[in-house]
């Protein structure tokens, strides 16, 4: 039998690279003889190679069956000040189209071994057209929950008007066919739908669904970073699409021969520090990796600092620096740093899976990025959900109401979450009362189910195999 050969195209932001690279390595592990070529920008590839510096445990080098194909998106040395995601997507497409076409072409003609399938990440639908030109089937890799995929679908199929008509009614809630939790308020929906000013993403997602539904489209499968037990209904809610849960795709806490970090590891020995703390004593605080969204306002940082100091437990807090993704805001000095550092540790970046899997960590104050949510679930860490934009609000709703593995903060009218509110939520999660006991029970349940999903023969492996069998059939029957 011909061994399958995959091409994976990932948009180079941390929240996309992490699950995609995990998928690539799981693919070569699960499918004997499979080859995966990971297409990535020169800049991201360089950062991934460099990021292990502090820990000195390898680099973005090829693994058995997995190789990297870096291409230039025009930003090899980084992004000029103020380059937003919009500009990056445009350049990525302009240059990526040709790079992808060259690789597909050389697989077919020079190497005489055509690619079996192209897997591309969200907002890169054009890549499916390049694959179609080379007669190669494509699969979309959706790096948010299946529930969010469904909600977007419904939004573009009749629900947009309902949401817009009710956008000023604070008590408004709605439900979508076949997905839980049933009643969603405006604040539970992905931010691009409920807020004004995000029209760029509204258009981008709309184009994605139009492409998926257009006649002759060659994206037959949608791979989702979720697992069957976590979102059973959502994986089947929109019958026109074939959604396959292949997760949870999370990085292994132990070092592997390649790494995906786009940011320099902190030189501080935060793991050594965690190791000195009692079991479940530490609060881990992080707002993810994504540009200005992961950088909080000075007022918000001060409120978190006050809440942590008043709560009085040790904490590890990732405070992202403003300049590393071309953000324009000014740098604000952290008030009471000295006092904070007596109780906790502040780092600009950490190896999150190493932190979450350390037994001293008892709570994750998180922005609810989908990777962070899954990583927390899989590591058995209760959450204080502190969502900011995009799918994070829906993820927070699922965390609090569906999986019941955490509580969600309530911001003040001005959007800032006050220190008292942070303390209230920490108390609910860590206070040892009935609520906390219930959360810990649920956390254990989901941790075990996540483990089941990724064990040998679990749903992740089975579903990856069924995906590969389907594309192999498509290629053979073509
Ligand atoms: N991450 C990390 N160290 C940090 C902050 C984030 O390793 O200090 C990783 C985290 O483990 C996750 C990814 O970066 O895999 C962030 O993805 P997520 O979907 O949670 O949020 P985003 O950054 O896309 O908003």
């Amino acid at each position: 039998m011909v061994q399958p050969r995959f091409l994976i195209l990932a948009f180079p932001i941390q929240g996309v690279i992490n699950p995609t690279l995990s998928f690539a390595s799981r693919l070569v592990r699960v499918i004997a003889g499979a080859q995966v070529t990971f297409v990535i920008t020169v800049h991201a590839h360089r950062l991934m190679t460099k990021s292990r510096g502090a820990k000195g445990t390898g680099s973005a080098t090829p693994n058995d069956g997995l190789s990297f194909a870096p291409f230039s998106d025009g930003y090899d040395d980084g992004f000029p000040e103020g380059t937003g995601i919009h500009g990056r997507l445009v350049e990525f497409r302009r240059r990526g189209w040709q790079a992808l076409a060259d690789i597909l072409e050389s697989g077919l003609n020079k190497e005489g071994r055509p690619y079996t399938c192209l897997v591309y990440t969200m907002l890169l639908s054009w890549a499916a057209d390049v694959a179609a030109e080379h007669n190669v089937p494509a699969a979309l890799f959706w790096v948010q929950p299946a529930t969010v995929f469904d909600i977007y679908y419904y939004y573009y199929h009749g629900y947009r008007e309902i949401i817009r008509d009710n956008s000023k009614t604070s008590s408004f809630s709605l439900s979508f066919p076949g997905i839980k939790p049933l009643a969603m308020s405006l604040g539970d929906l992905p931010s691009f739908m409920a807020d004004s000013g995000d029209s760029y993403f509204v258009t981008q997602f709309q184009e994605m669904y139009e492409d998926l539904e257009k006649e002759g489209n060659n994206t037959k499968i949608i791979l989702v970073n979720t697992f069957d037990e976590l979102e059973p209904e959502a994986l089947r809610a929109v019958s026109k699409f074939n959604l396959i849960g292949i997760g949870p795709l999370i990085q292994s806490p132990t070092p592997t021969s390649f790494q995906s970090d786009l940011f320099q590891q902190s030189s501080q020995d935060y793991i050594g520090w965690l190791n000195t703390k009692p079991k479940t004593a530490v609060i881990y605080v992080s707002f993810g990796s994504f540009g200005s969204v992961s950088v909080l306002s000075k007022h918000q940082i001060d409120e978190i600092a006050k809440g942590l100091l008043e709560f009085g437990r040790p904490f590890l807090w990732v405070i992202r620096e403003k300049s590393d993704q071309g953000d324009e805001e000014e740098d604000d000095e952290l008030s009471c740093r000295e006092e904070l550092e007596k109780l906790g540790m502040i780092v600009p970046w950490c190896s999150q899976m190493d932190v979450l899997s350390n037994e001293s960590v008892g709570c994750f104050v998180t922005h609810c990025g989908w990777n962070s949510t899954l990583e927390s679930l899989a590591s058995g860490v209760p959450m204080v959900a502190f969502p900011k934009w995009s799918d994070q609000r829906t993820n927070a709703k699922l965390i609090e109401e569906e999986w019941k593995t955490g509580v969600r903060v309530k911001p003040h009218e001005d959007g800032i979450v006050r220190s008292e509110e942070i303390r209230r939520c920490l108390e609910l999660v860590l206070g040892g009362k009935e609520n906390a006991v219930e959360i810990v029970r649920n956390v254990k349940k989901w941790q075990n189910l996540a483990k089941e999903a990724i064990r040998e023969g679990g749903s992740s492996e089975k579903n990856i195999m069924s995906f590969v069998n389907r594309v192999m059939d498509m290629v053979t029957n073509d």
Side-chain angles (χ1 to χ4, degrees):
M1 186 174 104
V2 181
Q3 296 304 335
R5 195 173 190 207
F6 294 90
L7 199 54
I8 300 188
L9 178 73
F11 189 65
I13 51 177
Q14 197 72 68
V16 171
I17 290 194
N18 285 2
T20 314
L21 201 47
S22 295
F23 170 52
S25 63
R26 201 169 289 171
L27 197 53
V28 291
R29 222 180 42 237
V30 169
I31 309 294
Q35 275 189 9
V36 176
T37 305
F38 198 89
V39 186
I40 187 79
T41 59
V42 168
H43 182 233
H45 188 248
R46 269 191 207 151
L47 294 174
M48 285 154 70
T49 312
K50 253 179 27 192
S51 66
R52 295 312 282 179
K55 283 189 152 189
T57 44
S59 63
T61 50
N63 228 24
D64 273 352
L66 173 62
S67 59
F68 290 85
F71 75 95
S72 174
D73 64 347
Y75 296 121
D76 294 358
D77 298 318
F79 310 101
E81 281 287 295
T83 312
I85 191 82
H86 181 168
R88 290 179 58 188
L89 275 164
V90 170
E91 278 307 288
F92 189 87
R93 175 191 176 131
R94 203 167 67 80
R95 307 214 186 196
W97 187 294
Q98 193 54 51
L100 203 56
D102 290 345
I103 297 172
L104 286 162
E105 184 65 35
S106 106
L108 189 65
N109 292 329
K110 271 203 218 134
E111 296 152 27
R113 244 193 99 190
Y115 284 91
T116 317
C117 180
L118 166 78
V119 178
Y120 63 96
T121 57
M122 281 162 45
L123 304 183
L124 306 180
S125 306
W126 53 267
D129 296 333
V130 186
E133 281 171 10
H134 294 81
N135 210 17
V136 171
L140 164 68
F141 180 33
W142 180 258
V143 296
Q144 294 182 354
T147 305
V148 172
F149 179 90
D150 300 337
I151 293 177
Y152 274 117
Y153 172 82
Y154 289 123
Y155 181 74
Y156 296 115
H157 291 79
Y159 282 72
R160 183 191 332 219
E161 293 67 29
I162 305 173
I163 292 167
R164 288 220 174 133
D165 291 350
N166 289 284
S167 64
K168 301 271 177 299
T169 317
S170 58
S171 59
F172 172 72
S173 72
L174 79 170
S175 57
F176 299 94
I179 47 175
K180 289 209 288 182
L182 290 174
M184 298 240 183
S185 71
L186 292 172
D188 299 328
L189 297 175
S191 58
F192 311 141
M193 293 177 190
D195 299 344
S196 51
D198 278 324
S199 57
Y200 173 71
F201 284 102
V202 171
T203 317
Q204 289 297 304
F205 281 112
Q206 178 161 11
E207 275 174 28
M208 187 194 91
Y209 285 87
E210 281 169 6
D211 283 339
L212 286 174
E213 290 179 85
K214 84 182 168 206
E215 203 157 336
N217 169 51
N218 73 332
T219 302
K220 305 290 179 222
I221 292 170
I222 295 159
L223 303 168
V224 188
N225 188 14
T226 189
F227 55 103
D228 292 351
E229 295 273 8
L230 192 64
E231 297 188 279
E233 295 90 2
L235 280 163
R236 288 192 299 265
V238 182
S239 57
K240 119 170 358 169
F241 296 118
N242 183 11
L243 266 58
I244 304 185
I246 55 167
L249 292 158
I250 45 181
Q251 292 189 298
S252 145
T254 44
T256 54
S257 59
F258 57 85
Q259 282 300 322
S260 57
D261 281 12
L262 299 178
F263 303 96
Q264 188 69 44
Q265 276 294 331
S266 167
S267 56
Q268 291 150 279
D269 183 15
Y270 52 88
I271 296 293
W273 181 82
L274 287 177
N275 288 340
T276 65
K277 303 294 170 209
K279 208 171 165 191
T280 71
V282 178
I283 300 162
Y284 170 55
V285 186
S286 171
F287 289 84
S289 66
F290 192 69
S292 57
V293 182
S294 63
V295 180
L296 304 178
S297 69
K298 168 114 175 73
H299 186 181
Q300 186 60 81
I301 289 185
D302 286 346
E303 291 294 333
I304 296 175
K306 206 163 149 227
L308 289 171
L309 287 173
E310 286 168 357
F311 196 68
R313 290 251 205 140
F315 58 84
L316 176 68
W317 185 359
V318 178
I319 301 190
R320 307 271 303 109
E321 280 152 14
K322 293 192 171 172
S323 53
D324 58 15
Q325 291 217 350
D327 301 309
E328 284 170 342
E329 294 167 51
E330 285 167 27
D331 210 343
D332 297 311
E333 202 27 64
L334 178 65
S335 326
C336 57
R337 182 180 275 271
E338 224 173 278
E339 214 186 323
L340 285 165
E341 286 181 339
K342 279 190 200 137
L343 184 62
M345 195 171 207
I346 296 170
V347 292
W349 184 257
C350 70
S351 180
Q352 185 160 295
M353 275 311 288
D354 290 342
V355 169
L356 288 172
S357 55
N358 190 291
E359 58 174 26
S360 69
V361 174
C363 171
F364 183 8
V365 177
T366 171
H367 72 312
C368 307
W370 184 234
N371 295 291
S372 295
T373 304
L374 283 178
E375 288 160 5
S376 203
L377 271 181
S379 310
V381 177
M383 287 172 261
V384 168
F386 197 136
K388 296 198 66 197
W389 79 320
S390 185
D391 59 324
Q392 294 158 15
R393 298 158 17 146
T394 315
N395 304 345
K397 169 91 173 171
L398 293 165
I399 290 166
E400 188 177 52
E401 292 184 21
E402 177 65 11
W403 307 314
K404 301 186 171 61
T405 54
V407 292
R408 178 178 182 174
V409 296
K410 290 186 184 56
H412 193 258
E413 282 161 7
D414 59 6
I416 300 291
V417 179
R418 296 289 193 271
S419 61
E420 308 84 87
E421 173 62 5
I422 292 164
R423 260 179 17 230
R424 183 189 72 87
C425 292
L426 288 172
E427 186 59 40
L428 282 174
V429 171
L430 287 167
K433 301 223 176 80
E434 206 182 311
N435 202 302
V437 173
E438 175 70 26
I439 288 176
V440 169
R441 194 178 307 132
N442 291 326
V443 159
K444 288 265 167 298
K445 170 186 143 187
W446 286 108
Q447 182 183 22
N448 287 335
L449 289 169
K451 269 195 196 140
E452 274 293 298
I454 48 180
R455 73 171 168 79
E456 224 181 292
S459 64
S460 171
E461 192 176 297
K462 276 197 203 133
N463 291 347
I464 288 178
M465 281 178 169
S466 105
F467 154 65
V468 173
N469 289 337
R470 283 210 49 194
V471 287
M472 293 294 274
D473 282 350
M474 281 179 214
V475 175
T476 328
N477 297 332
D478 201 21

